[in-house]
Amino acid sequence: PSRNEDLLRGAPDGRPAIVLLSMLANESKVAREDPHDRVPITRLQILADVIFAASMVFMASAFELPDTDIVDSPGELTGFLKSQLPVVAIYVISFILVAVYWMKHLEHCSYLQKTNIGHLWLQILFLAMVVIIPYSNALSSAAPDTLAFQTFYSINMFLVGLFSLLSWIYATRNHRLTRPDLEPSTIRHLRNEAMVEPAIALVSIGAARIGPALWELTLLLIPVAYIAQKKIDEWHLVRARRRASQ
């Protein structure tokens, strides 16, 4: 008798034929898969962690050191430090924004089972924009009142958020890279959250035309919105647990 006839009768160990047919189908599917369509997500996470850490470190290069030949008294040192306050403000904003994008990246990756070549390219573009942040920070620090530098900075942040959003949409479409049981409501919720950062970055371009202070305050809305979203999520979770316990 042929192998197909054996499968139709069932396995000698008692497993039904349908189980064996399913196993053969799965083996055939795995064999046909492109290796680039099942890259471990941990490889991407390691690369992202290194790039985010490097960006956080390089942003400190915008700070200037005082000229010891000129600054040689406590009063002159105090004046120098005061002159650095705009630089410190931009650095703090940049550092917080990078931290928010890193936490968002961790959250998105926690729902992914794997990555593929299409998702990797979107992530590479996302990380390329993250690498530029220290440069945008240095430009804005060198001339805090220059509209062109502030606009460049905002566009940089917009592109970081845009590629993060596109990566999430790509990964979750038809559960391409996520668990099959991931709730559609969770996918929509995280997608809507990912829209906030690029939207605020666009608004900050208009705010920069009004004044540097308003531009900085607008950018600070990104971490404020992130924290507010997480607090709202926690509140909904607590309410759901209370209803389930009643």
Side-chain angles (χ1 to χ4, degrees):
S2 66
R3 187 183 180 194
N4 290 338
E5 291 174 346
D6 289 339
L7 290 172
L8 291 174
R9 284 198 297 267
D13 59 2
R15 286 179 294 173
I18 189 65
V19 174
L20 291 180
L21 289 172
S22 177
M23 292 172 60
L24 288 174
N26 289 335
E27 290 174 1
S28 176
K29 181 180 178 182
V30 171
R32 292 195 304 268
E33 274 189 344
D34 187 339
H36 293 101
D37 286 337
R38 43 191 173 89
V39 179
I41 193 65
T42 52
R43 302 292 297 274
L44 174 61
Q45 289 173 308
I46 293 171
L47 174 63
D49 287 346
V50 171
I51 289 177
F52 273 104
S55 295
M56 289 176 168
V57 171
F58 290 152
M59 281 189 297
S61 63
F63 293 126
E64 295 181 10
L65 293 176
D67 188 342
T68 54
D69 294 332
I70 300 175
V71 180
D72 57 359
S73 69
E76 291 175 342
L77 179 60
T78 301
F80 172 80
L81 293 176
K82 286 182 179 179
S83 69
Q84 291 292 294
L85 287 178
V87 178
V88 173
I90 295 172
Y91 166 78
V92 170
I93 293 172
S94 300
F95 193 94
I96 292 174
L97 292 180
V98 172
V100 168
Y101 280 119
W102 176 64
M103 288 186 286
K104 297 274 285 189
H105 188 266
L106 287 178
E107 184 178 22
H108 287 180
C109 285
S110 68
Y111 290 100
L112 304 183
Q113 289 185 317
K114 59 181 179 179
T115 184
N116 63 15
I117 193 66
H119 183 251
L120 282 174
W121 273 113
L122 287 172
Q123 284 288 289
I124 287 171
L125 291 172
F126 164 72
L127 294 173
M129 296 302 105
V130 173
V131 169
I132 296 175
I133 292 177
Y135 178 65
S136 299
N137 176 76
L139 287 177
S140 299
S141 299
D145 297 330
T146 303
L147 177 60
F149 291 167
Q150 294 168 353
T151 302
F152 181 85
Y153 185 104
S154 295
I155 292 174
N156 186 186
M157 290 301 174
F158 167 74
L159 291 175
V160 173
L162 177 64
F163 286 118
S164 175
L165 172 62
L166 293 177
S167 295
W168 179 250
I169 292 174
Y170 177 89
T172 57
R173 183 174 178 81
N174 298 322
H175 293 87
R176 182 184 278 126
L177 304 175
T178 65
R179 303 189 311 269
D181 60 344
L182 182 61
E183 293 289 339
S185 59
T186 301
I187 293 174
R188 287 194 303 270
H189 177 69
L190 291 176
R191 182 194 63 206
N192 293 339
E193 281 189 357
M195 292 179 179
V196 173
E197 289 86 2
I200 294 177
L202 284 179
V203 172
S204 71
I205 295 176
R209 295 181 175 275
I210 299 174
L214 184 59
W215 173 71
E216 293 176 356
L217 289 174
T218 304
L219 288 173
L220 283 175
L221 289 177
I222 292 178
V224 170
Y226 175 77
I227 295 171
Q229 288 167 348
K230 294 308 165 189
K231 291 297 181 181
I232 293 172
D233 292 344
E234 291 176 7
W235 179 71
H236 283 302
L237 182 60
V238 170
R239 286 191 63 186
R241 287 176 177 173
R242 286 177 179 174
R243 288 176 180 176
S245 62
Q246 290 177 354

